[in-house]
Amino acid sequence: MKRYNMYVVLLASFIITGIMGFIVIPSSDKQQSNPYQENIDIALPGLAFISHITHDYVTVIDLKTNKIIGKVQAGGGTDWFALSKDRKTAYVANFQSDNITIIDAENVKNRENIPAGKNPTCISLTPDGKSALISHQSQDGLWFMDMKTHQITKKISEGTGLLHLSPDGSKFYQAAVFRPYIHIIDPKTESISKSIYVGGRPLNLALTPDEKHIYVTNSDFNEVEIIDTKTDSVINKINGFDIPRGIAITPDGKYVLVTNVGSNLITVIGTKKNSVLKKIQVDKMPTDIAVTKDGQYAYVTNQASASIAVISINKLEVVNNIEVADNPITLSLSE
């Protein structure tokens, strides 16, 4: 493994622990004073929610101003934020405190923590909001939870990766991380209906808007695999990455953007020829990336530099950098 700076020495831990890259970057006092703000309405559109793997809150950013407007308290080691379809309730997976925080989106003072197994890393709701899938970075694998009673209805030992709902809402896709597969999960039967072999260690994935293809970041092979969803098989591979992790596709399906944890770059792939068009320099250890609904901007969590990069999709360059608390690990956009 190449070592570019002091932070990259920690990447061995990233590879071992898998999907969330639980690496303790030295803390600072930056953006940590007065961490909680109780009067923000997180149900509003146009917000970004930043999880911090070594803190007990989620940072909230206004996408119009790119300013921090508050921080919502959750559990220890926030790792994933999800908002219900009706925007009434938010859910935070807390990696360190082994629970899920449930928050009243219109009044963040109303919240509760429920036990959720060892090292929960992601929570994703079914379209009807009746159940949720919780993945873990541990032997607890994948859990299914009734959202009315908060009771666990089923547990599967597999299923440790991030969860992505299909555009039609009928299934979830998951990069298995500790196994060389992409899982297709049926929420109705609460089971893995199919596993697509990709090899190596798939960390994350993104679906094209037409759901015809899946792009997968594979850290072991330093490549992105392309899966045809009609045949459920790998049809192409793109090389030249440096520990690829986060991935997002623009709403028009034109670009695929990939974070390279090892080289502090965002690789832009053109889907027309599935070739690399450009590499964009960002700050240290970019882990996650998301594109706004209008396709104008991409937001990137830079874990080791405690910042969020804002990339213009039209210019394919960084146009803003937002300082946040230490160890931003994932982000979610509400629009």
Side-chain angles (χ1 to χ4, degrees):
M1 182 185 299
K2 295 180 180 179
R3 297 186 178 185
Y4 293 88
N5 51 50
M6 64 175 288
Y7 298 103
V8 181
V9 176
L10 300 171
L11 290 176
S13 173
F14 170 86
I15 295 301
I16 292 170
T17 54
I19 68 174
M20 293 294 91
F22 180 46
I23 307 169
V24 179
I25 303 300
S27 297
S28 71
D29 294 329
K30 181 171 61 175
Q31 295 289 346
Q32 293 181 33
S33 61
N34 189 25
Y36 310 132
Q37 184 172 329
E38 305 288 5
N39 60 351
I40 58 175
D41 184 356
I42 60 175
L44 296 173
L47 301 177
F49 301 93
I50 315 300
S51 297
H52 301 268
I53 196 64
T54 50
H55 294 294
D56 62 352
Y57 53 79
V58 173
T59 299
V60 185
I61 295 173
D62 186 329
L63 295 178
K64 289 184 178 179
T65 63
N66 286 326
K67 303 291 185 182
I68 295 174
I69 61 172
K71 297 178 182 180
V72 180
Q73 184 178 3
T78 59
D79 209 353
W80 192 262
F81 177 94
L83 189 64
S84 62
K85 190 175 181 180
D86 61 10
R87 297 178 181 269
K88 292 183 178 180
T89 312
Y91 303 85
V92 183
N94 303 305
F95 183 92
Q96 294 186 51
S97 56
D98 300 336
N99 57 15
I100 299 292
T101 301
I102 303 175
I103 305 168
D104 182 339
E106 295 181 345
N107 184 359
V108 298
K109 290 185 292 184
N110 296 331
R111 56 182 174 264
E112 64 173 315
N113 292 321
I114 61 173
K118 182 67 173 176
N119 300 139
T121 58
C122 182
I123 179 169
S124 187
L125 280 62
T126 56
D128 59 12
K130 293 182 179 180
S131 61
L133 285 68
I134 303 171
S135 63
H136 301 79
Q137 192 174 320
S138 68
Q139 69 278 6
D140 282 329
L142 182 64
W143 289 11
F144 295 83
M145 183 171 68
D146 184 301
M147 295 309 292
K148 186 176 182 180
T149 64
H150 298 157
Q151 296 297 308
I152 303 302
T153 57
K154 191 172 182 180
K155 298 179 181 180
I156 299 176
S157 59
E158 295 184 49
T160 54
L162 299 178
L163 298 158
H164 298 272
L165 184 65
S166 64
D168 64 6
S170 65
K171 52 187 171 291
F172 289 85
Y173 291 93
Q174 181 185 54
V177 179
F178 297 116
R179 300 194 66 196
Y181 297 100
I182 299 300
H183 292 317
I184 300 176
I185 302 165
D186 186 337
K188 291 184 178 180
T189 62
E190 297 184 337
S191 64
I192 296 174
S193 60
K194 185 176 292 185
S195 295
I196 305 169
Y197 181 81
V198 294
R201 187 184 295 271
L203 290 187
N204 209 343
L205 62 86
L207 285 84
T208 54
D210 59 11
E211 203 183 341
K212 290 183 178 179
H213 298 98
I214 306 169
Y215 287 73
V216 181
T217 53
N218 196 314
S219 66
D220 275 4
F221 297 157
N222 281 322
E223 67 184 21
V224 169
E225 288 107 7
I226 304 172
I227 294 173
D228 185 324
T229 58
K230 186 175 182 179
T231 62
D232 288 331
S233 61
V234 176
I235 59 170
N236 201 351
K237 298 178 181 180
I238 305 170
N239 299 308
F241 299 89
D242 192 352
I243 312 181
R245 183 192 184 280
I247 186 168
I249 299 178
T250 55
D252 59 8
K254 185 178 179 181
Y255 299 126
V256 178
L257 294 93
V258 178
T259 69
N260 293 269
V261 178
S263 59
N264 308 325
L265 295 171
I266 305 301
T267 300
V268 182
I269 300 169
T271 56
K272 187 175 182 180
K273 295 183 178 180
N274 283 321
S275 59
V276 174
L277 300 179
K278 189 174 183 179
K279 294 184 179 181
I280 305 169
Q281 185 74 48
V282 292
D283 280 346
K284 297 182 182 71
M285 203 179 289
T287 55
D288 198 17
I289 186 167
V291 178
T292 56
K293 188 177 180 180
D294 61 11
Q296 295 298 306
Y297 297 98
Y299 285 74
V300 180
T301 52
N302 299 309
Q303 185 185 357
S305 58
S307 65
I308 306 297
V310 184
I311 295 173
S312 167
I313 299 299
N314 290 331
K315 298 178 180 179
L316 292 179
E317 63 183 40
V318 175
V319 294
N320 204 340
N321 219 45
I322 308 166
E323 291 188 351
V324 295
D326 297 319
N327 292 293
I329 191 73
T330 64
L331 76 162
S332 174
L333 305 184
S334 172
E335 301 183 81

